[in-house]
Amino acid sequence: MSKSVKKILSNIFVLLGATIALHYGLLHLIHKDMPLYVQILGAILILIIGGIFIISRSAEIIEETTEVLSEKTKLAGGLLQSLGTAFPDMILGVSAAFISLSLRNTDYERSISFAIIAAAATFGSNIYNIGHAAWCMWRQNLANSHHKNIQMFPGLPFLGQLTPMQEHNHKPVLAEFNVANQVIVALTLLTTIIALCMVVFGRIISPPGTIVGDLYALSAPVGIVVLILSILVLIRFRKTEHPGMETEIIKAEENKFRHNSIWLVWLSLLASAIAILVAADSMIQAIEVIAEVTRTPFVIAGILTGIIGCLGEMMVVHKYSINPNGRIGDAIVGVAMDNIVTITGACVVAIMGGIYLGGSSLIMIFVMILSLNTILIWQISDLKNFYLK
């Protein structure tokens, strides 16, 4: 066994070991039998270890493995990236939907509350993904226009900096900008269809007494139609836009996965996805404890759940953006693909009967998604225009 293989397997072992310790060790600290201060401390530790170490390290492995898999399979790096990072969003929403369905006949009010969490988590994560990607593109455009390095977040140099495009070792192909905008347009249309169908066909006549205002559901037939359309979009843009780029990448940056067997690369990507999923599940339970202690409403808990679900994708986009080796094209395609995959998860939840949103929540979530989609298209177009010049 070569040193490279041993190192990769060792990294997988450490990552999964930390994930198991988090889920089966620290998770006991937030059990209801524990003192309140122990629950709060345990919840904070879970959020810190899960977010800073497990999800961050998983994002690095996803960045490296999808680069190599894209070269070997000719699938779009952004698609492979999204399959690894969107998995937690889907599972968290489906898990909340299962809880909702299990309570449907015994506690209808709590059932609706968990259905709201499912909706807020799946759709809310799209807000953070698109918003963060738009920020990354904006900072890249600033670096380009000022011809100097720009910090990703002003005053926080440890979070990395963006290098002007002309100083990148190699640059993304123009087709990636077009694909990214096309996928975001498809995402906008799918989101619009969901919002309109919820309002037109999904109004609940007699919502539970604790629900103030109107309540809307995403019906199963609409979920099936949007699910099919989402899968067709993923199939349509599945091919990589980097023909013959492997040689350039090898010259620019060595990747420890490149000279190993493809099964080891797939194993690493799978391990990263599992780590993100288990860590996200543990972090969700930690947020539930904090929400219960602070008496946070369910819809807010759902939105916080969405943040955790998309942390992996946000970190991957962040790392791609500050990497001066041409990965920013994969970043913008990947974030758009990620949100398409998330919508497929939302449709699965809808088919199960678990998507509900109050009128005000529905308006705010979908208006923010559509607005941020427009902003991201604008920033990608600016980046493309600079690249053309």
Side-chain angles (χ1 to χ4, degrees):
M1 186 182 294
S2 67
K3 290 183 179 180
S4 176
V5 173
K6 288 181 179 179
K7 183 177 180 180
I8 292 172
L9 292 177
S10 175
N11 288 338
I12 293 175
F13 178 78
V14 171
L15 179 64
L16 294 180
T19 304
I20 292 171
L22 178 72
H23 190 71
Y24 293 101
L26 289 177
L27 207 58
H28 289 296
L29 297 178
I30 63 175
H31 194 273
K32 290 186 178 180
D33 294 337
M34 293 291 182
L36 186 60
Y37 74 92
V38 174
Q39 293 183 45
I40 296 174
L41 179 61
I44 294 173
L45 286 174
I46 289 172
L47 293 175
I48 292 174
I49 295 174
I52 293 178
F53 176 74
I54 295 177
I55 293 183
S56 176
R57 181 63 193 129
S58 297
E60 292 177 3
I61 295 176
I62 289 171
E63 176 186 0
E64 295 171 334
T65 55
T66 54
E67 175 184 320
V68 175
L69 286 173
S70 180
E71 296 168 11
K72 293 180 180 293
T73 65
K74 303 306 178 184
L75 292 173
L79 175 61
L80 294 167
Q81 164 195 326
S82 67
L83 295 178
T85 56
F87 193 51
D89 292 347
M90 296 176 62
I91 296 300
L92 293 174
V94 170
S95 299
F98 269 122
I99 297 173
S100 174
L101 291 174
S102 68
L103 296 170
R104 189 63 52 88
N105 296 325
T106 58
D107 192 338
Y108 183 63
E109 187 173 320
R110 286 191 66 207
S111 172
I112 295 298
S113 296
F114 276 101
I116 291 174
I117 288 180
T122 50
F123 293 124
S125 66
N126 285 8
I127 296 174
Y128 308 120
N129 279 341
I130 294 294
H132 178 256
W135 174 269
C136 292
M137 295 303 102
W138 177 59
R139 300 300 290 176
Q140 180 65 62
N141 286 327
L142 281 180
N144 294 341
S145 61
H146 290 111
H147 306 287
K148 66 178 183 179
N149 292 352
I150 296 289
Q151 292 179 6
M152 178 65 81
F153 294 96
L156 301 174
F158 58 90
L159 291 178
Q161 60 183 2
L162 293 144
T163 307
M165 187 71 73
Q166 59 266 34
E167 296 179 15
H168 284 202
N169 295 330
H170 70 263
K171 299 170 180 60
V173 295
L174 283 174
E176 286 184 307
F177 298 121
N178 296 329
V179 168
N181 278 339
Q182 288 169 8
V183 176
I184 295 170
V185 169
L187 174 66
T188 300
L189 293 174
L190 292 172
T191 304
T192 302
I193 291 171
I194 291 173
L196 289 176
C197 289
M198 288 184 73
V199 172
V200 175
F201 304 112
R203 186 171 182 271
I204 304 301
I205 303 300
S206 300
T210 56
I211 301 295
V212 179
D214 293 331
L215 183 66
Y216 299 92
L218 181 61
S219 65
V222 175
I224 293 172
V225 172
V226 177
L227 176 61
I228 294 172
L229 292 175
S230 300
I231 292 174
L232 290 176
V233 171
L234 294 176
I235 293 174
R236 166 65 179 80
F237 297 104
R238 71 189 184 279
K239 294 294 184 180
T240 182
E241 298 294 340
H242 282 293
M245 191 176 128
E246 300 94 312
T247 304
E248 293 182 38
I249 298 177
I250 292 172
K251 290 179 180 178
E253 178 185 56
E254 187 54 40
N255 186 320
K256 61 179 177 289
F257 290 97
R258 181 167 285 111
H259 303 297
N260 288 294
S261 62
I262 194 168
W263 72 264
L264 185 60
V265 184
W266 279 111
L267 177 64
S268 300
L269 180 61
L270 177 62
S272 300
I274 292 173
I276 289 177
L277 171 63
V278 176
D281 178 67
S282 302
M283 293 167 74
I284 289 304
Q285 295 187 51
I287 278 190
E288 288 177 346
V289 169
I290 294 175
E292 185 175 342
V293 170
T294 59
R295 298 187 178 183
T296 303
F298 275 101
V299 67
I300 302 299
I303 291 174
L304 293 174
T305 300
I307 295 177
I308 291 174
C310 68
L311 271 179
E313 172 63 30
M314 292 174 68
M315 289 187 179
V316 169
V317 172
H318 181 90
K319 291 180 181 298
Y320 280 13
S321 299
I322 63 177
N323 181 351
N325 287 309
R327 300 308 306 279
I328 198 167
D330 278 339
I332 55 179
V333 173
V335 73
M337 289 285 197
D338 180 276
N339 287 352
I340 297 289
V341 175
T342 302
I343 282 185
T344 65
C347 292
V348 171
V349 174
I351 294 169
M352 295 167 57
I355 285 284
Y356 288 87
L357 280 175
S360 57
S361 302
L362 187 150
I363 292 171
M364 288 188 293
I365 288 175
F366 286 106
V367 166
M368 290 181 69
I369 291 174
L370 297 175
S371 298
L372 289 171
N373 284 354
T374 304
I375 293 173
L376 182 56
I377 291 173
W378 165 37
Q379 292 303 315
I380 292 172
S381 299
D382 272 2
L383 186 58
K384 178 181 176 181
N385 290 338
F386 178 86
Y387 185 63
L388 286 172
K389 294 176 183 178

